[in-house]
Amino acid sequence: MKDKKVLIIPCSGIGKSLGSVGRDATYEVIENLKPGKADTVCLALLTLGDEEAKQKVTSNYCISLDGCPKKCARKNIEALGKEPEKSYRTIDFFKDNPGKKPQGIVDIGEGGRALSKSIAKVISEDVDDLLENGRR
Amino acid sequence: MADLPKVKVGIVSCSGEEIPEGTISRIATMKVLNKLRPQQTSTICLPLFLAGGKEDREFARVYPTITVDGCGKFCAKKATEKYSGKVSASINVRDFVKEGETLVNRRDLGQKELEVADRVAQEIATQVDEIVRQRSESIAFSQEEDVSSDEVSNASGTGCSCGSGEIPYLEIYFDGKKVKLFYLKEIFDFVSQDGSKSDDDIAERILSLVRTYNVIDEGMENAYRDAIVKEYHAYLGGGK
């Protein structure tokens, strides 16, 4: 399906810096690394059942990106009957890269931006893989 | 004298990922939480709230809420009213964008977007003050503690309600139904020590405080009043 895109859906959890890191990584992929191939959708709009948002999710590939173990982005997508093609948690990337520590929620700082770039790199590879090979 | 919890205002931001206004709602909310009104506010993680977060939903049922939305779809407002109850105030970021202002940055906000965020943050703070003033009239509101700028300038975690623990409540029966009232025991302890003597005084005092932490439907006040006073006397062992 040539017209398909990959939607990156972060939780954007406002209470913790890892939620901000997921949001930043999403923008890094859709605006810098894979513009035109990747996009995002408002999670709250999707969860409240907006038809256009639901259509976007069901007709494209999805990658959920959560900030904490509660996996709200993934759960909210699954609640619509769609299983994301890939699911990530920023906390897992942080565990693998403890030196890349986010500073805060409003400004994730140098460490947070470095962590965001690491996550975005992995996800951008997924974007290419999904668009080339589809769901496996 | 027994202490009652301070009135806190929950700020629910839409954080809409697709549009700059979503990021503005988030930044404005954080500014209020961390800098403008850190002691009077807490936030609710909207995705957790939507995913069924019990504590977040309960928090929004007990405390007054202000929703901050990035567009006219009002997701934060709709979600809060669907799962918890009527919001105290609703703010749409787009109402604070001046004619001719174009917002383009959704990742790192530029000068224009930051100015809008400041306007929205000021409006949230004004609404917080009004809600706290109204709700605090009936309780002794203790002096704010000083918070250092280091503590609030760039918190890695903020005043979010997740993990805040279950809010205490008692259940009362009336009209054949069981109703959960938050902080009722604390209110009983407070009123039992504040000098109110007659049943009418006590009923007024308790009802006023119950309204501070709970939503009472219009037209139900008398029914609540009788049931609560009966429960109060039973709690004190009077069994009236």
Side-chain angles (χ1 to χ4, degrees):
Chain A
M1 287 279 289
K2 280 184 180 171
D3 293 339
K4 274 199 175 187
K5 283 188 179 184
V6 180
L7 297 177
I8 324 291
I9 306 179
C11 75
S12 293
I14 198 169
K16 294 174 180 64
S17 56
L18 286 170
S20 295
V21 170
R23 187 178 176 93
D24 190 74
T26 299
Y27 290 136
E28 175 68 10
V29 177
I30 67 177
E31 292 182 356
N32 294 338
L33 301 179
K34 300 292 167 192
K37 290 182 174 179
D39 199 357
T40 190
V41 65
C42 291
L43 180 61
L45 186 62
L46 177 70
T47 310
L48 283 173
D50 180 83
E51 282 306 321
E52 201 182 323
K54 270 162 67 179
Q55 171 68 20
K56 209 169 162 183
V57 164
T58 50
S59 57
N60 290 289
Y61 299 116
C62 274
I63 297 176
S64 62
L65 181 52
D66 280 299
C68 79
K70 293 185 176 172
K71 297 186 282 189
C72 298
R74 181 177 177 160
K75 281 182 191 165
N76 281 317
I77 297 167
E78 286 175 342
L80 298 170
K82 161 98 181 180
E83 195 192 335
E85 273 70 24
K86 293 268 181 179
S87 289
Y88 292 107
R89 302 186 316 174
T90 54
I91 196 167
D92 295 328
F93 287 91
F94 179 54
K95 280 178 192 165
D96 293 341
N97 300 273
K100 297 175 180 175
K101 190 177 178 191
Q103 204 178 72
I105 299 165
V106 174
D107 179 6
I108 57 175
E110 215 174 287
R113 280 187 284 278
L115 184 62
S116 162
K117 281 192 189 300
S118 302
I119 297 167
K121 187 172 177 291
V122 171
I123 292 180
S124 69
E125 287 167 4
D126 289 336
V127 170
D128 287 339
D129 184 42
L130 282 166
L131 293 179
E132 202 171 310
N133 304 310
R135 184 181 187 127
R136 284 183 288 183
Chain B
M1 180 132 184
D3 280 336
L4 282 172
K6 288 178 186 176
V7 173
K8 278 220 167 198
V9 180
I11 319 285
V12 192
S13 162
C14 87
S15 293
E17 288 83 3
E18 289 179 77
I19 52 174
E21 290 90 334
T23 307
I24 290 171
S25 74
R26 186 178 172 86
I27 297 298
T29 296
M30 291 307 302
K31 185 166 184 182
V32 176
L33 289 164
N34 287 345
K35 290 184 178 169
L36 300 182
R37 299 292 183 272
Q39 295 297 294
Q40 295 99 326
T41 55
S42 182
T43 191
I44 290 164
C45 192
L46 188 57
L48 180 60
F49 184 86
L50 288 165
K54 187 178 166 234
E55 287 168 2
D56 287 62
R57 288 184 181 183
E58 197 161 80
F59 181 91
R61 263 197 292 275
V62 176
Y63 292 101
T65 49
I66 297 173
T67 50
V68 188
D69 279 294
C71 76
K73 292 191 173 175
F74 291 106
C75 297
K77 182 183 182 189
K78 283 181 188 165
T80 306
E81 296 202 329
K82 182 175 179 184
Y83 296 113
S84 291
K86 192 166 168 47
V87 303
S88 298
S90 160
I91 292 169
N92 181 353
V93 170
R94 289 196 176 156
D95 292 339
F96 295 84
V97 181
K98 291 179 183 166
E99 212 178 313
E101 267 182 334
T102 310
L103 308 175
V104 289
N105 300 304
R106 57 185 175 178
R107 184 180 185 184
D108 297 312
L109 298 186
Q111 190 56 37
K112 280 264 180 294
E113 291 88 2
L114 288 171
E115 283 172 18
V116 177
D118 278 346
R119 280 176 230 144
V120 174
Q122 288 302 332
E123 176 62 18
I124 300 170
T126 301
Q127 295 288 346
V128 168
D129 292 346
E130 179 57 19
I131 293 165
V132 170
R133 188 190 63 75
Q134 283 177 4
R135 295 234 174 180
S136 300
E137 276 172 356
S138 56
I139 60 173
F141 200 72
S142 64
Q143 203 64 32
E144 295 302 331
E145 297 156 22
D146 286 336
V147 180
S148 76
S149 55
D150 285 347
E151 280 178 273
V152 299
S153 64
N154 200 17
S156 59
T158 192
C160 68
S161 64
C162 62
S164 58
E166 192 167 341
I167 296 164
Y169 64 87
L170 288 179
E171 288 175 325
I172 63 166
Y173 290 86
F174 78 94
D175 207 16
K177 289 182 297 189
K178 190 161 69 170
V179 177
K180 190 191 270 189
L181 290 175
F182 296 101
Y183 293 120
L184 190 58
K185 177 182 172 297
E186 288 73 13
I187 291 170
F188 285 166
D189 288 340
F190 184 84
V191 170
S192 71
Q193 296 168 39
D194 85 342
S196 301
K197 297 288 180 215
S198 73
D199 270 2
D200 281 350
D201 283 350
I202 289 167
E204 270 314 308
R205 189 84 176 110
I206 293 176
L207 202 59
S208 155
L209 290 166
V210 165
R211 271 196 302 263
T212 301
Y213 303 103
N214 300 269
V215 176
I216 296 182
D217 294 335
E218 277 177 41
M220 296 301 291
E221 295 215 344
N222 284 338
Y224 270 91
R225 184 193 311 266
D226 295 345
I228 288 169
V229 170
K230 193 175 162 194
E231 190 69 30
Y232 174 72
H233 287 301
Y235 176 75
L236 294 185
K240 265 191 191 179

